[in-house]
Amino acid sequence: MENKLQKQMTSRHIMMLALGGAIGAGLFKGSGEAIGIAGPSVILAFLLGGLVLFIVMNGLGRLVLSRDNAHGLSGIIKPFLGERTADFIDWLYWSLWMVNIIAEAVAAASFMQLWFPNVPSWVFVLALAFLTTLINLYSVRLFAETEYWLAFIKIAVIIILIIFSAYLVGHEIFKIGFLDTFARMNSHGGFAPHGLKGLVNSLLVVIYSYGGSELIAITVSEAEDPKTAIPKAIKGVMGRIIAFYIVPMTLLLIIYRWDALAATTASPFVMVFQKMHIPFATDIVNFVIVLALFSSINSGVYASSRTLYFRVRENTGFTSKLAVLNKHQVPQRAVLFCTGTLYLGVVLSYFLGNQLFNYLVGSLSYSVLLTWLLISVAAFVLALRKGKNSERFFSGLVILVLGLIFIGILMNNPIGVTIFTAGLYLVIFFSYRKKQTDPLTEQA
């Protein structure tokens, strides 16, 4: 048996993986929170976040094309930022997904309890962990197909929402006129009721919502033709990601007053489905939210297990045992170790309650932003070496914007979350040990 990861992901898998990573529960459930923070100006926040994501992802595509046999984020950025930074981004990205899968598994369980209120949440988390483990252990092809169809369902629901919302907007225009219909967006405080501060604060939710797109860099070792598939996926997915956020958000803000969308405890999607008299609207959207959360957990196990595999496969001692491939060329022990954190999360949440998860979720915005920042800095160094002024300008611009957003997070996150996250980063940074060999330049 050949002891290496198998190249079984096609362009369609990678494109849907990128879409699925960026279109999650943040859109279906979290859009109401973002609207509450910024009002109608949240449209500008999602547009700005989309432009930042576009530049980051294009930089990532250039980095992929610049390297042969690179594995994971560390293998892509190492030639530009050095071995220590490469080690840091891998463990940063691994910890990001470890935190995320725990938080989203508990969130998924809470939504499932709406249907089965008498079933303890740990039962649902256990079921999600078991199902995710099976999918990720069997083969990368099964994982890719699962994510493809989960993303397909999410996108189908968004398209249906857009069609319904466009119909409702057209109906209002016919009923009360064009200007009065669009004036609703500026009612109750204007377009930016909370001013510039509200728009900046909403960027924290926006960046977190878009986080996950960079996951496609992890597929380099298992894509059939990464030099073609990944840049193609990046180019094909960007317009769709922005459209699937900005168009629905704009239509929602035309149909409803922003404060009504912010005040609802349900998803804003439910309000549109109910207005169209769709039976079981709440249950349908609730089901899609659970699928979105499961998709994120599934992707998180994939990303974290591959990152862990690349980090430990050349180690000696106990950690090297996590880099064993099964008969399907899947790093089974790395997968089991990462899904094991779901069970740990259940135990910790039982004893510590929601406070633990408030700290963990609060630190995610830092981790997504720092991951994007390191990718952008590596792309900037690449642009400097190639001497392309346009690439230098856009990479430098996005570094500046991400730096400003980072300052916004520092000013608005609770100090306890900041200290917790800083401590985590210090542990990662100082745990680095230089290797004698460079496993990241070898064939997986």
Side-chain angles (χ1 to χ4, degrees), residues 287-399:
F287 178 70
V288 174
I289 292 172
V290 171
L291 287 183
L293 288 165
F294 174 68
S295 173
S296 180
I297 296 165
N298 200 34
S299 295
V301 169
Y302 171 79
S304 58
S305 63
R306 281 1 180 235
T307 301
L308 182 61
Y309 169 75
F310 294 137
R311 277 289 102 200
V312 305
R313 62 182 177 162
E314 294 298 321
N315 287 358
T316 58
F318 172 75
T319 56
S320 63
K321 297 183 185 299
L322 293 173
V324 175
L325 301 180
N326 64 14
K327 64 181 181 180
H328 302 292
Q329 282 68 58
V330 170
Q332 58 181 4
R333 293 179 182 176
V335 169
L336 291 170
F337 183 85
C338 293
T339 54
T341 59
L342 289 172
Y343 308 110
L344 176 63
V346 176
V347 175
L348 291 175
S349 65
Y350 179 80
F351 287 106
L352 300 178
N354 292 329
Q355 189 62 35
L356 170 70
F357 293 98
N358 291 337
Y359 272 69
L360 295 179
V361 173
S363 72
L364 285 174
S365 56
Y366 283 117
S367 297
V368 171
L369 195 61
L370 189 53
T371 300
W372 286 16
L373 190 58
L374 290 174
I375 291 171
S376 300
V377 172
F380 181 72
V381 174
L382 173 63
L384 288 177
R385 293 180 184 177
K386 291 170 63 178
K388 292 194 174 182
N389 291 329
S390 61
E391 293 177 2
R392 289 177 186 174
F393 173 77
F394 286 111
S395 294
L397 179 63
V398 82
I399 290 170

Side-chain angles (χ1 to χ4, degrees), residues 33 51 56 132 135 162 192 203 234 247 267 274 279 296 306 318 325 332 400 411 418 423 443:
E33 179 186 353
L51 292 173
V56 171
T132 304
I135 291 171
I162 291 173
L203 281 171
I234 290 172
V247 172
S267 166
Q274 288 176 336
S296 180
R306 281 1 180 235
F318 172 75
L325 301 180
Q332 58 181 4
L400 176 63
M411 294 175 62
T418 301
Q443 179 66 31

Side-chain angles (χ1 to χ4, degrees), residues 83-391:
E83 187 176 325
R84 186 165 199 150
T85 304
D87 178 86
F88 180 82
I89 196 172
D90 263 355
W91 289 119
L92 168 70
Y93 202 59
W94 180 80
S95 65
L96 183 157
W97 281 111
M98 288 294 92
V99 170
N100 195 62
I101 64 175
I102 294 174
E104 300 215 336
V106 173
S110 69
F111 281 107
M112 294 174 79
Q113 281 184 312
L114 296 176
W115 294 316
F116 309 100
N118 297 322
V119 178
S121 62
W122 68 264
V123 174
F124 295 117
V125 176
L126 183 65
L128 288 169
F130 182 71
L131 183 58
T132 304
T133 302
L134 288 180
I135 291 171
N136 279 273
L137 279 181
Y138 186 74
S139 72
V140 69
R141 174 74 71 172
L142 178 61
F143 162 78
E145 284 293 336
T146 302
E147 282 303 298
Y148 179 89
W149 290 109
L150 287 173
F152 181 86
I153 292 170
K154 289 187 286 185
I155 291 169
V157 171
I158 295 171
I159 291 173
I160 292 171
L161 174 86
I162 291 173
I163 293 171
F164 285 170
S165 299
Y167 168 80
L168 292 172
V169 169
H171 183 267
E172 287 295 303
I173 291 174
F174 181 77
K175 183 178 178 181
I176 64 175
F178 182 87
L179 293 177
D180 288 338
T181 299
F182 280 80
R184 188 180 286 120
M185 188 182 293
N186 293 320
S187 63
H188 196 69
F191 186 73
H194 302 306
L196 182 62
K197 182 180 179 181
L199 185 132
V200 172
N201 289 347
S202 69
L203 281 171
L204 311 185
V205 180
V206 170
I207 295 296
Y208 174 71
S209 297
Y210 282 151
S213 301
E214 70 292 327
L215 171 63
I216 63 173
I218 308 297
T219 68
V220 167
S221 297
E222 294 171 288
E224 291 179 351
D225 183 9
K227 294 283 188 177
T228 301
I230 292 180
K232 181 180 178 181
I234 290 172
K235 291 177 182 177
V237 83
M238 292 315 305
R240 294 180 180 92
I241 287 176
I242 296 172
F244 288 152
Y245 272 94
I246 294 174
V247 172
M249 204 72 65
T250 302
L251 292 171
L252 283 170
L253 286 163
I254 293 172
I255 298 168
Y256 299 99
R257 280 176 37 159
W258 72 266
D259 53 322
L261 293 171
T264 180
T265 56
S267 166
F269 280 44
V270 172
M271 299 173 68
V272 173
F273 280 53
Q274 288 176 336
K275 196 162 188 174
M276 291 294 295
H277 305 292
I278 303 298
F280 308 109
T282 303
D283 290 326
I284 291 171
V285 176
N286 190 48
F287 178 70
V288 174
I289 292 172
V290 171
L291 287 183
L293 288 165
F294 174 68
S295 173
S296 180
I297 296 165
N298 200 34
S299 295
V301 169
Y302 171 79
S304 58
S305 63
R306 281 1 180 235
T307 301
L308 182 61
Y309 169 75
F310 294 137
R311 277 289 102 200
V312 305
R313 62 182 177 162
E314 294 298 321
N315 287 358
T316 58
F318 172 75
T319 56
S320 63
K321 297 183 185 299
L322 293 173
V324 175
L325 301 180
N326 64 14
K327 64 181 181 180
H328 302 292
Q329 282 68 58
V330 170
Q332 58 181 4
R333 293 179 182 176
V335 169
L336 291 170
F337 183 85
C338 293
T339 54
T341 59
L342 289 172
Y343 308 110
L344 176 63
V346 176
V347 175
L348 291 175
S349 65
Y350 179 80
F351 287 106
L352 300 178
N354 292 329
Q355 189 62 35
L356 170 70
F357 293 98
N358 291 337
Y359 272 69
L360 295 179
V361 173
S363 72
L364 285 174
S365 56
Y366 283 117
S367 297
V368 171
L369 195 61
L370 189 53
T371 300
W372 286 16
L373 190 58
L374 290 174
I375 291 171
S376 300
V377 172
F380 181 72
V381 174
L382 173 63
L384 288 177
R385 293 180 184 177
K386 291 170 63 178
K388 292 194 174 182
N389 291 329
S390 61
E391 293 177 2

